[in-house]
């Protein structure tokens, strides 16, 4: 973590973070331009590099900050007394929505890193790539799946939820990024539909 960055005013921190998250999420590491990031943030390139030295330094900071921020939001948003499979999914979507209210592209950025193929980018986040997946796995350890029909492949069901989430998030970020609640509302509808189709 770059501690001196946190000495900046919160508004400037968030402008820089949100600009970088957006550019990396939309373009991937190779095609993300620091020129585009500073333009989006309304700052000088000198200020950006004062805190992060270079592009890979910024990317490393972003990933570490994002993974831990999302992990904290997920663990604090999930009610462990409710172990229904679909309720847990919905609580996680609520957590993602809460993240998007502060950092609209943060979840999208973490998801985009899963598809990254640039060795330089992969190497600096390799020891942190399991933070969010391990958090989700831990939350689902006690999920009650007894009501799911026997002929439903649960791993494929989880993939359907994940694919749907990614598509809905992309649509919201493209059409209405200032209203992250739309992501939760749409995902709630899809999860209800899946629950009705998959439960006994």
């Amino acid at each position: 973590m770059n501690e001196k960055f946190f000495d900046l005013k919160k508004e400037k921190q968030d402008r820089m973070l949100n600009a970088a998250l957006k550019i990396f999420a939309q373009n991937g590491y190779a095609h993300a331009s620091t020129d585009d990031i500073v333009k989006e943030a309304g700052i000088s390139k000198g200020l950006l590099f004062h805190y992060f030295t270079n592009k890979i330094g910024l990317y490393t900071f972003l990933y570490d900050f994002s993974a831990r921020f999302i992990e904290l939001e997920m663990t604090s948003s999930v009610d462990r007394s409710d172990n229904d499979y679909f309720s847990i999914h919905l609580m996680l979507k609520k957590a993602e929505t809460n993240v998007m209210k502060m950092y609209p592209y943060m979840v999208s950025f973490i998801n985009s890193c899963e598809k990254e193929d640039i060795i330089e980018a992969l190497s600096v986040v390799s020891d942190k790539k399991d933070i969010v997946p391990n958090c989700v796995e831990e939350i689902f350890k006690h999920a009650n799946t007894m009501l799911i029909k026997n002929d439903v492949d649960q791993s494929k069901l989880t993939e359907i939820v994940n694919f749907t989430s990614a598509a809905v998030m992309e649509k919201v970020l493209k059409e209405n990024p200032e209203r992250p609640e739309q992501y939760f509302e749409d995902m709630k509808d899809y999860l209800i539909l899946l629950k009705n189709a998959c439960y006994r």
Side-chain angles (χ1 to χ4, degrees):
M1 278 288 182
N2 188 338
E3 296 301 330
K4 62 183 181 179
F5 172 72
F6 294 107
D7 292 334
L8 281 170
K9 289 183 179 178
K10 183 71 165 56
E11 183 273 334
K12 185 168 275 189
Q13 286 181 38
D14 287 350
R15 265 198 294 128
M16 293 170 71
L17 289 172
N18 279 321
L21 289 166
K22 179 179 180 179
I23 300 302
F24 279 120
Q26 291 181 337
N27 301 286
Y29 180 78
H31 301 290
S33 162
T34 52
D35 288 336
D36 290 339
I37 292 170
V38 297
K39 183 178 178 182
E40 180 80 22
I43 59 169
S44 69
K45 190 178 279 192
L47 181 64
L48 182 72
F49 288 151
H50 172 72
Y51 291 104
F52 301 107
T53 309
N54 52 30
K55 181 173 157 180
I56 195 64
L58 173 59
Y59 185 85
T60 306
F61 174 89
L62 274 184
Y63 194 93
D64 186 52
F65 180 79
S66 298
R68 297 185 188 285
F69 191 92
I70 293 169
E71 177 190 34
L72 180 61
E73 189 60 45
M74 285 182 168
T75 53
S76 61
S77 295
V78 172
D79 177 2
R80 299 301 178 111
S81 67
D82 187 348
N83 65 354
D84 178 81
Y85 174 84
F86 284 100
S87 292
I88 294 172
H89 271 299
L90 187 61
M91 286 186 279
L92 289 176
K93 297 310 141 193
K94 184 63 174 176
E96 290 176 351
T97 301
N98 291 340
V99 171
M100 290 168 70
K101 286 177 182 177
M102 289 187 66
Y103 304 105
Y105 289 86
M106 182 176 278
V107 178
S108 181
F109 165 72
I110 286 290
N111 291 341
S112 74
C113 293
E114 295 299 316
K115 305 171 210 164
E116 193 57 72
D117 59 1
I118 302 299
I119 299 299
E120 183 183 22
L122 289 172
S123 63
V124 297
V125 301
S126 59
D127 61 331
K128 304 176 185 76
K129 287 199 85 170
D130 292 333
I131 291 176
V132 174
N134 285 349
C135 176
V136 173
E137 183 180 344
E138 178 64 29
I139 287 169
F140 270 101
K141 265 186 182 174
H142 306 293
N144 179 6
T145 59
M146 297 296 291
L147 292 176
I148 297 176
K149 295 174 184 175
N150 291 334
D151 60 348
V152 173
D153 184 322
Q154 292 182 26
S155 64
K156 283 187 169 58
L157 176 57
T158 299
E159 283 186 350
I160 289 170
V161 174
N162 292 339
F163 291 149
T164 304
S165 297
V168 171
M169 186 174 295
E170 183 179 352
K171 183 172 184 278
V172 168
L173 289 174
K174 184 177 180 180
E175 296 178 358
N176 208 1
E178 67 281 353
R179 193 172 181 276
E181 295 84 1
Q182 188 64 51
Y183 170 69
F184 178 75
E185 291 164 12
D186 289 350
M187 283 309 304
K188 183 177 181 180
D189 290 342
Y190 283 117
L191 287 169
I192 290 171
L193 188 150
L194 284 171
K195 183 174 181 176
N196 290 338
C198 296
Y199 270 15
R200 305 175 199 277

